[in-house]
Amino acid sequence: MAVQPYSPLSGGFLTGKYKQNDPNNVAGTRGTSLPDGSSDEGKSDDRLSGDNPFGDSKFTERNWEILNVVKNIAQETGYQPAQIALNWLLTQQSVASTLIGASKAEQLTSNIEALTIELTQEHYLALLNNSQPSYAYPASLFNEQIKRFIFAGNDVAAW
């Protein structure tokens, strides 16, 4: 089974356009610089107007850590953070396709160019290791230690 991720750049979060500890991330206008270097000072972003609907899911410490890994790899390779994020996503075995929300021709071109990027194995591992979800109960029971206990150290495969 394959998946088609919706909002693979998390509403612009993985482009690097939001700044950590920016009080404007919670409502109204941002006053940050866009990925192309231009300013959006004073421009409203409807996704963040009023009470921030993403406050408890987008601007988390863990997500900032993931974004920092993406930005570091982008800086090392000379690509944009959005390109790194899209490239990583599209190399995942379970991803068949993804929806992109480009609002400008330049964004669309840049997003398509992400398909041509070849990152190192170390880059892919850094992205994978830093973006692994943390599972809550009962999924947390499906770890190697529990499997060894239940299956007496034997590998058990699905049919």
Side-chain angles (χ1 to χ4, degrees):
M1 178 188 308
V3 295
Q4 183 175 8
Y6 176 83
S7 192
L9 298 176
S10 190
F13 182 81
L14 290 173
T15 67
K17 76 178 185 177
Y18 300 108
K19 306 296 180 221
Q20 193 170 11
N21 300 320
D22 182 347
N24 293 314
N25 284 344
V26 295
T29 60
R30 294 189 312 276
T32 60
S33 63
L34 296 171
D36 67 2
S38 64
S39 174
D40 65 350
E41 186 75 41
K43 293 183 184 175
S44 177
D45 184 337
D46 291 340
R47 291 178 294 204
L48 298 178
S49 294
D51 290 335
N52 181 357
F54 302 113
D56 63 348
S57 64
K58 183 182 289 193
F59 301 115
T60 66
E61 191 62 38
R62 182 170 185 278
N63 287 346
W64 289 114
E65 290 170 8
I66 293 169
L67 178 59
N68 285 333
V69 171
V70 169
K71 288 167 77 173
N72 287 340
I73 293 172
Q75 188 173 30
E76 286 177 25
T77 61
Y79 294 107
Q80 297 173 12
Q83 291 174 309
I84 299 300
L86 288 171
N87 179 271
W88 177 84
L89 180 65
L90 292 169
T91 62
Q92 301 308 296
Q93 186 176 7
S94 61
V95 175
S97 179
T98 187
L99 300 172
I100 54 174
S103 59
K104 299 176 185 158
E106 305 85 49
Q107 291 172 334
L108 180 60
T109 301
S110 176
N111 290 347
I112 291 170
E113 288 174 7
L115 295 169
T116 65
I117 296 172
E118 291 187 34
L119 298 174
T120 66
Q121 188 67 23
E122 291 78 24
H123 289 143
Y124 286 123
L125 285 174
L127 291 165
L128 180 66
N129 291 336
N130 284 284
S131 64
Q132 288 296 308
S134 56
Y135 296 107
Y137 180 83
S140 60
L141 294 176
F142 300 103
N143 63 58
E144 290 307 311
Q145 186 176 16
I146 297 295
K147 286 183 199 176
R148 279 195 308 269
F149 176 74
I150 294 173
F151 301 117
N154 297 305
D155 287 332
V156 177
W159 301 357

